[in-house]
């Protein structure tokens, strides 16, 4: 019946409905504090999100789907070629070995996205740090000899000693991202790969990201970082920019490949 009704609606009206719906979702508002945005948000730790992501990524793992991003299934992999180049750059600099800690890496979205290429490397060690309920599912349904899940970064460092820190689509959802980075970067990773991170040219902006309900019903605070301040911060931590690039999410979203400057 829905298909029949839809077929009777003029295309121009359907397009108008789509535009109205698209304006309801995405990044909305300009909040003074993180707490102010959080008070209107549903959060990221709901069971619905975990169930949706798990279902989608299990299909990818089992060969029933080609690619997943933010729980959405695609019929073709949407590569971030600059990120993949960064991963291969790190592997080349390490003699063909790639040891990654993927902070906030869900159930392995980036790993499975690039698995076709990662499988060509002899030694890949991909470690994901996530919320407890994600790690529980990861260990039970996804973990294997190359893909591991950890509850905190100290446990990961102790067991796996990764040299590459991947932060893809995660810093914008942290209330105090620089405090988190202060703690993480004590480990002196050789390389940092940033991807899918929103930046602004002037002042930081705190907004609310509203997810379309056909993906899952959720909203959460989101921070647009000041790009110059962020680069300066990492420079103070002895990291130099190898390259920066535009990410898949849009012109405000970027990625950065960094390498530590070792003392001579």
């Amino acid at each position: 019946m829905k298909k029949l009704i839809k077929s009777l609606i003029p295309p121009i009206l359907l397009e108008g409905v789509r535009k109205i719906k698209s304006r309801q979702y995405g990044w909305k508002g300009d909040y003074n504090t993180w707490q102010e945005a959080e008070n209107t948000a549903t959060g990221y730790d709901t069971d619905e999100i975990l169930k949706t992501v798990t279902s989608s990524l299990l299909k990818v793992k089992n060969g029933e789907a080609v690619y997943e991003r933010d729980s959405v299934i695609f019929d073709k992999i949407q590569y971030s070629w600059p990120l993949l180049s960064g991963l291969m750059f790190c592997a080349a600099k390490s003699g063909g070995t790639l040891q990654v800690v993927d902070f906030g890496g869900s159930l392995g979205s980036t790993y499975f996205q690039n698995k076709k290429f990662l499988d060509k490397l002899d030694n890949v060690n991909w470690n994901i740090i996530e919320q407890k309920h994600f790690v529980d599912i990861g260990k039970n349904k996804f973990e294997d000899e190359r893909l591991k899940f950890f509850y905190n970064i100290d446990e990961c460092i102790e067991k796996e000693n990764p040299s590459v820190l991947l932060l893809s689509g995660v810093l914008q959802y942290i209330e105090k991202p620089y405090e988190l980075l202060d703690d993480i970067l004590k480990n002196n990773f050789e390389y940092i790969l940033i991807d899918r991170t929103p930046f602004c040219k002037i002042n930081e902006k705190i907004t609310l990201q509203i997810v379309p309900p056909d993906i899952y019903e959720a909203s959460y605070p989101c921070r647009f970082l000041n790009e110059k301040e962020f680069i300066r911060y990492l420079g103070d931590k002895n990291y130099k920019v190898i390259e920066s690039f535009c990410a898949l999410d849009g012109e405000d979203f970027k990625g950065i490949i960094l390498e530590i400057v070792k003392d001579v």
Side-chain angles (χ1 to χ4, degrees):
M1 179 60 71
K2 287 183 179 180
K3 289 183 178 180
L4 175 60
I5 294 173
K6 186 176 180 180
S7 68
L8 298 175
I9 299 175
I12 190 170
L13 292 182
L14 285 174
E15 181 62 25
V17 171
R18 279 194 288 267
K19 287 182 178 180
I20 291 172
K21 286 185 176 181
S22 67
R23 288 197 293 267
Q24 297 174 355
Y25 311 111
W27 291 266
K28 304 296 179 183
D30 192 351
Y31 296 85
N32 294 318
T33 66
W34 187 268
Q35 187 63 51
E36 185 181 323
E38 196 167 52
N39 288 340
T40 64
T42 61
Y44 184 71
D45 57 353
T46 65
D47 289 338
E48 181 185 358
I49 295 176
L50 178 59
K51 289 178 182 178
T52 305
V53 172
T54 302
S55 175
S56 297
L57 271 170
L58 278 176
K59 290 178 181 178
V60 173
K61 179 189 175 185
N62 296 330
E64 299 168 14
V66 175
Y67 172 56
E68 172 273 350
R69 181 159 63 95
D70 297 331
S71 83
V72 179
I73 291 294
F74 295 83
D75 57 9
K76 184 178 180 180
I77 298 178
Q78 296 183 348
Y79 284 106
S80 171
W81 293 111
L83 175 62
L84 180 56
S85 297
L87 291 169
M88 294 299 106
F89 167 80
C90 296
K93 294 272 286 187
S94 303
T97 293
L98 185 63
Q99 297 174 297
V100 177
V101 55
D102 185 356
F103 193 94
S106 184
L107 294 173
S109 296
T110 303
Y111 173 77
F112 288 109
Q113 176 191 30
N114 297 286
K115 191 174 183 299
K116 179 190 298 184
F117 296 91
L118 297 178
D119 284 349
K120 303 301 180 182
L121 299 173
D122 292 332
N123 189 3
V124 173
N125 181 230
W126 196 284
N127 309 284
I128 291 176
I129 313 295
E130 258 294 355
Q131 300 173 84
K132 182 182 183 302
H133 53 304
F134 272 79
V135 175
D136 290 342
I137 292 292
K139 285 181 173 294
N140 184 40
K141 297 183 180 294
F142 292 91
E143 192 164 284
D144 57 30
E145 60 180 13
R146 288 193 166 197
L147 180 63
K148 307 292 183 184
F149 291 83
F150 294 92
Y151 297 102
N152 60 73
I153 198 161
D154 291 336
E155 179 190 12
C156 176
I157 296 297
E158 181 180 350
K159 291 185 177 180
E160 305 295 341
N161 193 31
S163 59
V164 181
L165 171 64
L166 173 61
L167 299 164
S168 178
V170 61
L171 288 176
Q172 62 263 43
Y173 303 119
I174 304 298
E175 180 177 2
K176 299 178 181 178
Y178 288 104
E179 288 188 13
L180 173 68
L181 287 169
D182 281 342
D183 184 55
I184 293 178
L185 297 184
K186 292 176 183 177
N187 297 288
N188 294 320
F189 296 100
E190 292 185 42
Y191 310 97
I192 301 176
L193 304 180
I194 309 289
D195 194 24
R196 301 186 62 201
T197 302
F199 289 100
C200 54
K201 296 297 184 182
I202 308 177
N203 298 321
E204 285 192 353
K205 178 180 179 180
I206 298 174
T207 185
L208 189 71
Q209 182 176 349
I210 303 174
V211 181
D214 54 344
I215 298 178
Y216 49 71
E217 291 191 7
S219 61
Y220 22 80
C222 181
R223 184 190 308 273
F224 283 61
L225 295 161
N226 179 279
E227 188 173 358
K228 288 185 178 180
E229 180 182 335
F230 185 73
I231 296 296
R232 182 167 56 248
Y233 168 84
L234 290 174
D236 291 341
K237 297 291 185 181
N238 293 326
Y239 285 92
K240 65 177 181 180
V241 175
I242 301 299
E243 193 56 83
S244 60
F245 54 92
C246 293
L248 291 172
D249 302 71
E251 60 181 13
D252 292 326
F253 286 74
K254 294 187 177 181
I256 311 169
I257 300 170
L258 303 108
E259 183 177 15
I260 198 167
V261 179
K262 297 181 180 179
D263 296 332
V264 179

